[in-house]
């Protein structure tokens, strides 16, 4: 694979469909996006791994939805890794890139840096939130933490909340190509059975962990056979094929699914992007009184705020904040 081909496929999500199996999917390759998301913070290795996995899931899931604004993925637990949060912003215009950002909260004294990452989340929930912007009601779907990975949680979420059999195969880590610095790379494949015409009737004998639905509870007959066959083919994928850069996504699909009739569509570019701004910080503080703002004011006489996603630092004159704020000077940001 040439360096030019690598650049073409880095930070992209490629939609595809398996015509024989009635299955749709996505192939994601994250290079600069993943590096940018993780370079904003000094995370322990276990936290880095979960943020990388969540970012890949977000890229794959966000591209499957007719999204007008934002999809968020949130994982919250009672373990030392408390929160993993990622956002996917739909392209602002035709041909523009989608944007991804991510962040984690953890207890540095309890995290085992090189320990099993997923087990350090503990008990909690996996949620997907969809906000289509002004004039719409945000949607939120929640399932308990289940399985041994965030990918397994996402599969359970789609089976339980959307009744859509889904499968994720992901790989990520630091890599170094000749003549280049070491940096993060990640890649993955998502499979999803096309929605059934008739919704599934709830059942009491679900086979997933904790009595939750799994793909086996949703599909049977020919549909089940097609799904199982596609999954067996995906089981043969290797980590280096997922991450690249030596295998193009189109070649990977042919290698895995050539008998299933793979058909690809236009790839979607993705990039790191954050929506924080001084005005949004002001808006979030507008509910506080001057007395509340005084409690937030530092010894230097300013109010500070830092973006959890991108690390941007903001400083404000406290008299210009809150619902009792004075008007800002024209030259104040």
């Amino acid at each position: 694979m040439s360096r030019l081909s690598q650049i073409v496929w880095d930070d992209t999500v490629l939609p595809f469909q398996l015509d024989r199996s009635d299955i749709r999917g996505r192939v994601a390759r994250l290079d600069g996006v993943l590096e940018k998301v993780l370079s904003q913070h000094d995370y322990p290795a276990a936290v880095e791994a979960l943020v990388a996995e969540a970012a890949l899931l977000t890229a794959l899931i966000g591209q499957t939805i007719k999204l007008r604004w934002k999809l968020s993925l949130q994982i919250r637990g009672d373990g030392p890794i408390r929160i993993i949060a990622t956002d996917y912003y739909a392209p602002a215009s035709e041909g523009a890139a989608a944007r991804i950002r991510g962040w984690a909260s953890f207890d540095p004294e309890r995290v085992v840096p090189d320990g099993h990452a997923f087990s350090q989340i503990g008990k909690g929930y996996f949620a997907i939130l969809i906000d289509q912007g002004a004039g719409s009601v945000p949607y939120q779907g929640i399932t308990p933490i289940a399985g041994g990975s965030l990918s397994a949680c996402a599969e359970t979420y789609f089976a339980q909340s959307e009744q859509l059999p889904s499968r994720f195969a992901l790989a990520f880590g630091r890599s170094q190509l000749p003549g280049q610095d070491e940096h993060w790379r990640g890649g993955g494949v998502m499979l999803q059975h096309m929605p059934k015409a008739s919704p599934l009737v709830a059942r009491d004998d679900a086979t997933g962990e904790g009595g939750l639905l799994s793909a086996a509870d949703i599909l049977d007959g020919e549909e089940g056979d097609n799904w199982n066959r596609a999954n067996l083919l995906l089981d043969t994928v290797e980590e280096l094929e997922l991450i690249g850069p030596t295998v193009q996504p189109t070649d990977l699909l042919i290698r895995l699914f050539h008998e299933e009739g793979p058909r690809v569509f236009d790839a979607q570019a993705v990039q790191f992007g954050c929506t924080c701004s001084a005005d949004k910080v002001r808006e979030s503080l507008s509910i506080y009184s001057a007395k509340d703002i005084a409690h937030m004011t530092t010894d230097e006489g300013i109010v500070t705020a830092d973006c959890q996603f991108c690390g941007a630092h903001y400083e404000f004159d406290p008299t210009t904040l809150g619902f009792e704020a004075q008007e800002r000077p024209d030259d104040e940001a």
Side-chain angles (χ1 to χ4, degrees):
M1 182 179 183
S2 69
R3 173 64 178 155
L4 179 59
S5 296
Q6 174 193 335
I7 292 172
V8 167
W9 289 111
D10 278 348
D11 296 327
T12 60
V13 181
L14 177 68
F16 68 90
Q17 184 167 316
L18 305 180
D19 288 338
R20 178 186 174 190
S21 308
D22 203 24
I23 290 171
R24 63 184 178 183
R26 302 290 186 273
V27 180
R29 290 276 172 82
L30 299 186
D31 177 72
V33 169
L34 207 52
E35 179 69 20
K36 189 71 173 177
V37 166
L38 293 172
S39 67
Q40 306 299 318
H41 305 274
D42 185 19
Y43 291 135
V47 178
E48 278 189 318
L50 289 173
V51 175
E53 185 177 7
L56 277 167
L57 288 171
T58 304
L60 289 163
I61 295 170
Q63 216 283 328
T64 67
I65 296 170
K66 293 180 179 179
L67 194 65
R68 296 196 301 273
W69 190 45
K70 181 177 72 170
L71 175 140
S72 300
L73 189 154
Q74 293 185 6
I75 301 97
R76 293 179 179 263
D78 61 4
I81 302 177
R82 297 181 291 244
I83 301 173
I84 306 291
T86 55
D87 292 327
Y88 177 101
Y89 291 92
S93 60
E94 186 74 25
R99 294 172 293 156
I100 294 177
R101 63 181 188 173
W103 164 78
S105 172
F106 60 97
D107 184 343
E109 295 183 355
R110 296 172 58 206
V111 167
V112 181
D114 297 321
H116 186 259
F118 183 78
S119 63
Q120 297 187 65
I121 298 173
K123 296 180 179 179
Y125 66 82
F126 177 99
I128 290 180
L129 301 88
I130 300 173
D131 190 338
Q132 298 286 25
S136 66
V137 178
Y139 164 83
Q140 177 175 280
I142 298 177
T143 54
I145 296 291
S149 65
L150 295 184
S151 297
C153 288
E155 292 168 2
T156 298
Y157 167 85
F158 278 108
Q160 183 70 25
S161 297
E162 308 295 332
Q163 297 178 8
L164 288 176
S166 304
R167 167 76 187 281
F168 297 89
L170 309 181
F172 46 86
R174 292 185 176 274
S175 67
Q176 185 173 19
L177 297 174
Q180 298 183 31
D181 295 332
E182 183 183 71
H183 66 282
W184 277 88
R185 288 191 63 85
V189 175
M190 173 187 185
L191 296 180
Q192 195 166 65
H193 199 280
M194 302 293 274
K196 299 180 69 172
S198 300
L200 178 72
V201 178
R203 50 186 294 174
D204 298 325
D205 58 345
T207 60
E209 182 177 327
L212 300 173
L213 289 172
S214 68
D217 303 318
I218 302 171
L219 298 175
D220 54 19
E222 184 178 358
E223 289 182 334
D225 291 341
N226 289 339
W227 179 251
N228 291 335
R229 186 175 63 252
N231 276 265
L232 287 172
L233 294 172
L234 184 55
D235 285 341
T236 69
V237 74
E238 298 179 0
E239 286 193 2
L240 287 178
E241 291 182 300
L242 291 172
I243 295 175
T246 56
V247 179
Q248 297 185 44
T250 47
D251 292 341
L252 174 61
L253 291 175
I254 293 172
R255 208 281 289 169
L256 290 173
F257 303 118
H258 62 278
E259 294 183 355
E260 303 300 310
R263 180 158 48 104
V264 299
F265 303 94
D266 292 338
Q268 172 65 61
V270 292
Q271 63 186 28
F272 175 81
C274 192
T275 60
C276 71
S277 68
D279 285 341
K280 288 186 177 180
V281 176
R282 288 183 181 281
E283 183 180 353
S284 70
L285 296 176
S286 64
I287 61 173
Y288 296 101
S289 67
K291 183 178 179 180
D292 294 326
I293 297 297
H295 286 296
M296 305 177 194
T297 303
T298 68
D299 293 340
E300 290 74 26
I302 58 174
V303 174
T304 66
D306 297 305
C307 177
Q308 296 167 324
F309 288 96
C310 72
H313 178 75
Y314 299 97
E315 297 183 355
F316 303 94
D317 177 346
T319 64
T320 66
L321 300 175
F323 61 78
E324 299 175 274
Q326 302 173 10
E327 289 190 14
R328 285 181 284 161
D330 292 338
D331 60 348
E332 184 179 346

